[in-house]
């Protein structure tokens, strides 16, 4: 088999089972691809020996007829997941050198299903950002380029994951999504990214950003690949009190089920002023594709949509300010010595946290502080209920919602923006689903006139990922999107 | 009864409220599977959750929740079927998460009350404001190194019940009675071992003074007192300090204070200005906690009889004094001992023997009821011998001492030593005749009106009998011989 | 509501992050920018709306009272910046 990197995950599984390829071969090809595209800076640690050893075990299990769901498939892991014996830093200086003596539940599930770990992927520090520019390891780069050949961000915070899957330096990758950190980079990089329902994947062993919003999910090249890895990632976990016991649907089977008879909502509030006209065009195109495939398109209203972003920027920093208090230089990670305990805390946290993380800790601390709690935090939680209520009402009528994934295509690395709020606007379409705990998937729908990918987003009812895969499967087929990033390993297909 | 304190400028009323931290009796910690036991090697009982490793999450221990509910029921308090865990955010070396998981707005237990009994037998009901569950912190050791502190996280995450009283107490004695009673209830319920020395039970004391029936004064909070003696000393010191300041024209600062066990004084720990801003908010790692009424009912029906109920029974059915009943019911073991010892015996007499002789002997010998040489049945047997006239109360004291020493039964000792009381009227009559004959002059005096000499004759007869004559028979026969002749 | 230098210093202290004096002013400006934008929420009528803290429908799961963890000093101390005889070590704390 010459084009190992050209196989999607479903195809690779078939080839492995038929013994047309070996897991070691496949893994070797991906390790090579990761080396070849090192300039994208999407890996922060490549664990080659570990990967090859796991692949060899996979080959044994395949030979023994005991292959798991993901047997032999090379997977990159966002550095937010704690991986036993392997440096796990959340791309923060404050955790540099931290080697967890434990494995996150999600990654443990992947390895139990036969997945092969390639290494740790770049992300925004503590998952805070929309461009992967806030990483202690430097920015990850999008393998796609516009006509001016300027380096573009892969999106964030799971930028390394999206970049690696798009660049074919990982067949599959994990990410986490707190306000869009899977769906937005998936859209920017032209890959499929799912944020499952809150509670579907265990949060145990994942460095926490905002606990009530964080959810792990997969990046893949295709919708079918996504359903495959998702089936292995999800589990009920007694170690996570917010983990669901709702049984997982047949996701793999749902992909090809089509949308005939489904009611798809089009929320009018997602048509925002100043939105890229190409984004609007793609959104309309997506509606047409679904109508053509037999779905009924229904206009719906989610009136509180515009308040999701400001509510999010209260709730997420508030939770983060508390979640990040444990990085204090006492038990692990960086310590800057000082005479007093408080001096040590202050010096360590000033040196260990990057600018954006510090800014969010400050906001979070402020909105929770005495005298401001009601005006900010409590107000945001009330708005959160209204936003969820909007969705609950819409889902009385429709089975899923179709929206753009992002207001624009990927932007250049290092783009100077003085106003942090402008950066926050990247998450405008993705944040509401996090506040409501709903599943959302981003699927590539087309490219801009400059040749950059744009994505569509499908949102669904809680624990109804199957409907997302049905809709996403149809969109994928209709779009016929070709993955041709300029800086893809193995050259353009 | 007045608890007013007299100052230079008039009387002061003391207002006291207590926050008691009671360690929940459980095998494992509140939110982790590490052991909650005391006395292990440093950081031995620590899980990755307790050490707040990245990505670790809390999962609540059902038994700790049930223990809190049992305690709430024991305090006749409202059980909240829905309660919420909040994060209390602050930085400290022995607080790995940078926050304590506690309950702020919606505690598991709401209002209740607790009855205290004072030394004179009078009772008062003290209001309970709330009880909530929270995590204990670790331990910092400051004396191991000249410039470093050493941190042990063994206690980190152990379940605590914080029990908050209303400011209903008016004296140090009431505060001590409150803690003693609370400890008693916790121990009856088995929800906290009440071991104050090991820190299983410690109190924060809020004290203020005001003119009788005047508006409330500014209070201070003295933290972490782990003995009844310290609680009373801290209150006494605070009351005197506050009265002096106010009478000198000053004002009390609302502040947190520390008690110095060496000097018996309190000093400022931190003032209101640099008080923590805890930034409480609902812990997003935990969901609202729901318990069902069925669960609460099941816990209620399995509760043991509590000291107040037993005390009422002891006073009502057995006729014990308020004081004896309180002393006997303070500890579950004592109450059980009493029930067993007094079964089928003179209940009041057994109570007397327990509170005076038995407790006295235990105290003197440094023994506890657990390793008491006299079983409840044997104490009952001794009292039985008194009741049926086999021995006198005087002799019984000697028998008791022997029993305490040797662990032998009362009847066996009486037999062995021939201490059986003489109740043979003929023998007693002979003795009386001898005594009267030997004291003819005094008989004359008695009959001439010196009534008080009766006691002298009784004493002589008892002495001649070696203490074994039945005193009531001696009385009766003497009287008929002296008065009736 | 507007954040000034003093407030920034207070928040930084609460968050235990050392912020140099010359950063207080620019940080105040940034935070005000964000807070002014957040103030959009004031438009929303939230009378009689219950705050929503968690979206999962289920109640808090509870575990049994069994010791399942601990006795793993090596794991607990494996990443410690400074330790001694089984303890974590920090600069001396004065109470
Ligand atoms: Mg207190
Ligand atoms: Zn407390």
């Amino acid at each position: 088999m010459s084009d190992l990197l050209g196989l999607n995950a479903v195809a690779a599984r078939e080839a492995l089972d038929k013994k047309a390829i070996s897991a070691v071969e496949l893994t070797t090809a991906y390790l090579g691809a990761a080396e070849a595209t090192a300039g994208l800076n999407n890996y922060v640690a490549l664990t080659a020996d570990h990967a090859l050893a796991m692949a060899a075990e996979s080959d044994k299990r395949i030979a023994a007829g005991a292959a798991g769901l993901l047997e032999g498939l090379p997977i990159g892991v966002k550095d937010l997941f704690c991986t036993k014996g392997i440096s796990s830093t959340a791309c923060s200086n404050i955790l540099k050198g931290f080697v967890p003596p434990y494995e996150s539940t999600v990654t443990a599930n992947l390895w139990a299903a036969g997945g092969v770990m390639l290494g740790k992927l770049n992300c925004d520090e503590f998952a805070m950002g929309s461009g992967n520019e806030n990483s202690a390891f430097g920015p990850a780069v999008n393998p796609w380029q516009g006509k001016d050949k300027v380096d573009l961000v892969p999106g964030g915070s799971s930028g390394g994951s999206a970049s690696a899957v798009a660049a074919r330096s990982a067949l599959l990758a994990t990410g986490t999504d707190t306000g869009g950190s899977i769906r937005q980079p998936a859209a920017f990089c032209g890959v499929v990214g799912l944020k499952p329902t809150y509670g579907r994947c265990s949060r145990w062993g994942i460095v926490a950003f905002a606990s009530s919003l964080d959810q792990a999910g997969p990046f893949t090249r295709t919708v079918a690949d996504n359903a495959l890895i998702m089936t292995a990632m999800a589990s009920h976990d007694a170690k996570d009190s917010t983990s669901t016991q709702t049984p997982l649907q047949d996701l793999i089977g749902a992909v090809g089920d089509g949308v005939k008879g489904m009611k798809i909502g089009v929320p009018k509030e997602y048509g925002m002023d100043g939105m890229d006209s190409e984004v609007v065009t793609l959104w309309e195109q997506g509606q047409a594709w679904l109508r053509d495939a037999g779905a009924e398109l229904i206009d719906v209203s989610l009136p509180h949509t515009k308040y999701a972003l400001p509510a999010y920027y209260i709730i997420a920093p508030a939770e983060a300010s508390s979640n990040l208090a444990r990085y204090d230089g006492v038990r692990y990670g960086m310590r800057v010595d000082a005479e007093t305990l408080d001096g040590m805390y202050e010096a360590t946290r000033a040196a260990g946290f990057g600018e954006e993380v510090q800014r969010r800790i400050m906001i979070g601390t402020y909105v929770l502080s005495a005298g401001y709690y009601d005006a900010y935090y409590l107000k945001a939680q009330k708005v959160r209920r209204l936003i969820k209520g909007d969705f609950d009402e819409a889902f009385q009528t429709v089975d899923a919602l179709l929206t753009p994934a992002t207001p624009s295509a990927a932007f250049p690395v290092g783009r100077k923006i003085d106003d942090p709020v402008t950066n926050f606007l990247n998450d405008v379409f993705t944040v509401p689903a996090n506040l409501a705990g709903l599943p959302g998937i981003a699927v590539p729908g087309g490219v801009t006139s400059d040749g950059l990918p744009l994505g569509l987003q499908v949102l669904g009812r809680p624990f109804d990922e199957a409907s997302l895969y049905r809709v996403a499967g149809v969109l994928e087929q209709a779009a016929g999107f070709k993955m041709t990033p300029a800086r893809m390993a193995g050259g353009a297909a | 009864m007045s608890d007013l304190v007299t100052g230079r400028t008039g009387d002061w009323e003391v207002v006291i409220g207590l926050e008691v931290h009671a360690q929940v009796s459980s095998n494992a910690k509140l939110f982790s599977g590490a052991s909650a036991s005391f006395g292990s090697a440093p950081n031995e009982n620590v899980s990755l959750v307790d050490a707040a490793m990245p990505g670790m999450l809390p999962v609540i221990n059902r038994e700790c929740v049930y223990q809190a509910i049992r305690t709430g029921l024991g305090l006749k308090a409202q059980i909240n079927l829905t309660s919420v865990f909040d994060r209390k955010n602050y930085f400290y070396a022995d607080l790995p998460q940078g926050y304590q998981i506690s309950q702020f707005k919606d505690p598991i237990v709401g209002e209740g009350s607790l009855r205290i009994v004072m030394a004179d037998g009078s009772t008062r009901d003290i209001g309970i404001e709330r009880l909530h569950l929270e995590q204990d912190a670790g331990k910092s050791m400051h004396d191991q190194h000249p410039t470093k502190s050493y941190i042990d996280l063994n206690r980190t995450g152990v379940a605590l019940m914080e029990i908050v009283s209303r400011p209903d107490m008016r004296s140090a004695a009431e505060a001590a009675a409150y803690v003693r009673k609370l400890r008693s209830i916790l121990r009856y319920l088995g929800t906290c071992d009440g071991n104050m020395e090991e820190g299983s039970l410690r109190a924060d004391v809020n004290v203020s003074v005001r003119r009788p029936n005047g508006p409330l004064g500014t209070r201070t909070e003295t933290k972490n007192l782990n003995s009844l003696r310290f609680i009373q000393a801290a209150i006494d010191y605070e009351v005197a300090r506050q009265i002096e300041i106010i009478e000198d024209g000053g004002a009390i600062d609302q502040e947190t204070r520390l008690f110095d066990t060496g000097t018996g004084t309190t000093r400022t720990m931190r003032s209101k200005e640099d008080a923590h801003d805890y930034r409480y908010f609902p812990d997003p790692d935990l969901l609202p906690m729901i318990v069902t009424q069925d669960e609460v009912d099941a816990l209620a029906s399995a509760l043991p009889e509590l000291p107040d109920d037993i005390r009422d029974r002891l006073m009502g059915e057995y006729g014990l004094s308020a004081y004896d009943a309180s002393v006997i019911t303070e500890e579950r073991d004592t109450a059980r001992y009493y029930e067993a010892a007094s079964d089928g015996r003179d209940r009041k007499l057994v109570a007397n023997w327990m509170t005076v002789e038995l407790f006295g002997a235990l105290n003197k010998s440094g023994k506890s009821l657990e390793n008491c040489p006299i079983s409840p049945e044997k104490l009952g047997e001794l009292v039985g011998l008194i009741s049926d006239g086999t021995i006198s109360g005087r002799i019984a004291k000697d028998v008791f001492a022997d029993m305490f020493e040797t662990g032998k039964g009362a009847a066996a000792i009486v037999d062995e030593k021939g201490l059986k009381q003489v109740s043979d009227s003929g023998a007693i009559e002979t003795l009386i005749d001898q005594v009267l004959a030997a004291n003819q002059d005094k008989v004359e005096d008695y009959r001439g009106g010196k009534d008080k000499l009766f006691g002298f004759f009784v004493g002589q007869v008892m002495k001649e009998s070696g203490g074994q004559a039945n005193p009531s028979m001696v009385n009766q026969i003497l009287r008929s011989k002296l008065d009736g002749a | 509501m507007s954040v000034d230098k003093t407030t920034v210093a207070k928040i930084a202290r609460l968050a235990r992050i050392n912020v140099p004096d010359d950063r207080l002013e620019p940080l105040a400006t940034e935070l005000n920018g964000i807070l002014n934008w957040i103030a959009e929420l004031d438009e929303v009528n939230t009378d009689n709306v219950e705050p929503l803290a968690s979206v999962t429908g289920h109640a808090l799961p509870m575990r049994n009272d069994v010791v399942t963890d601990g006795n793993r000093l090596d794991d607990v101390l494996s990443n410690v910046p400074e330790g001694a005889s089984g303890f974590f070590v920090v600069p001396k704390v004065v109470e």
Side-chain angles (χ1 to χ4, degrees), chain B residues 117-123 180 311 314-315 319-330 351-352 355-356 359:
Chain B
V117 183
M118 306 308 294
D120 63 2
S122 65
T123 63
R180 200 182 295 118
R311 182 174 172 272
L314 265 45
M315 290 170 69
L320 300 201
S321 72
Y323 178 78
D324 278 359
S326 302
V327 170
I328 285 170
T329 54
E330 181 166 329
N352 229 329
T355 55
V356 181
F359 287 174

Side-chain angles (χ1 to χ4, degrees), chain B residues 78-322:
Chain B
Q78 152 103 27
I79 307 299
N80 295 322
L81 299 181
T82 301
S83 65
V84 173
F85 284 98
D86 298 284
R87 292 186 184 178
K88 178 181 183 180
N89 295 282
Y90 64 97
F91 284 86
Y92 201 69
D94 56 23
L95 188 74
Q97 297 167 126
Y99 53 86
Q100 176 195 37
I101 305 179
S102 181
Q103 297 190 296
F104 184 51
K105 260 186 30 217
D106 301 295
I108 182 159
V109 176
E111 288 190 37
S113 78
L114 181 144
R115 173 162 297 176
I116 58 171
V117 183
M118 306 308 294
D120 63 2
S122 65
T123 63
R124 280 202 55 191
D125 287 339
I126 307 297
I128 302 287
E129 191 180 307
R130 59 184 280 155
L131 174 157
H132 67 254
L133 276 168
E134 63 184 23
Q135 300 177 297
D136 202 352
K139 221 178 152 182
S140 305
M141 269 145 285
H142 309 303
D143 50 4
Q144 313 265 324
H145 188 284
T147 61
K148 306 279 186 183
S149 289
Y150 283 33
I151 313 296
D152 174 11
L153 301 182
N154 278 344
R155 292 190 79 102
T156 301
V158 167
L160 299 179
M161 296 178 282
E162 181 171 335
I163 303 158
V164 183
S165 84
R166 296 248 170 238
D168 286 351
M169 286 154 277
R170 295 292 173 266
S171 67
E174 286 190 358
Y178 170 86
V179 174
R180 200 182 295 118
K181 184 58 175 288
L182 180 58
R183 181 177 178 276
S184 161
I185 290 175
L186 294 170
R187 286 171 55 81
Y188 265 76
L189 293 168
T191 58
C192 168
D193 67 21
N195 190 328
M196 296 189 82
E197 271 162 42
E198 285 180 4
S200 298
L201 196 75
R202 44 199 202 262
D204 301 342
V205 182
N206 291 294
V207 179
S208 64
V209 298
R210 65 173 173 190
R211 292 299 184 186
N213 302 315
L216 277 177
T218 305
R219 68 190 161 90
T220 61
E221 178 179 14
T222 305
K223 290 195 93 75
N224 257 326
L225 301 161
N226 68 344
S227 85
L228 293 175
R229 201 157 54 81
F230 295 159
I231 290 169
Q232 298 194 69
I235 292 171
D236 288 341
Y237 182 83
E238 265 309 286
V239 168
R241 188 186 70 88
Q242 291 185 13
I243 290 175
E244 189 177 327
I245 288 174
I246 300 171
E247 292 192 329
D248 286 348
I252 304 303
D253 290 332
Q254 184 173 340
E255 60 181 2
T256 303
R257 299 180 69 86
L258 276 180
F259 180 70
D260 186 323
T261 55
T263 60
T265 62
T266 67
R267 63 184 155 84
T268 302
M269 189 175 163
R270 52 173 186 262
S271 67
K272 183 108 191 279
E273 289 79 70
D274 54 33
H276 288 124
D277 181 343
Y278 290 120
R279 289 159 287 136
Y280 283 99
F281 74 107
D283 190 330
D285 286 330
L286 297 163
L287 305 164
M289 182 165 71
I290 317 267
V291 291
T292 63
Q293 190 59 51
D294 284 352
E295 282 178 288
V296 175
D297 292 345
L299 292 169
S301 65
L303 284 190
E305 197 181 15
L306 288 173
D308 282 348
D309 302 326
I310 303 177
R311 182 174 172 272
D312 288 349
R313 188 155 50 78
L314 265 45
M315 290 170 69
E317 286 178 31
Y318 304 167
L320 300 201
S321 72

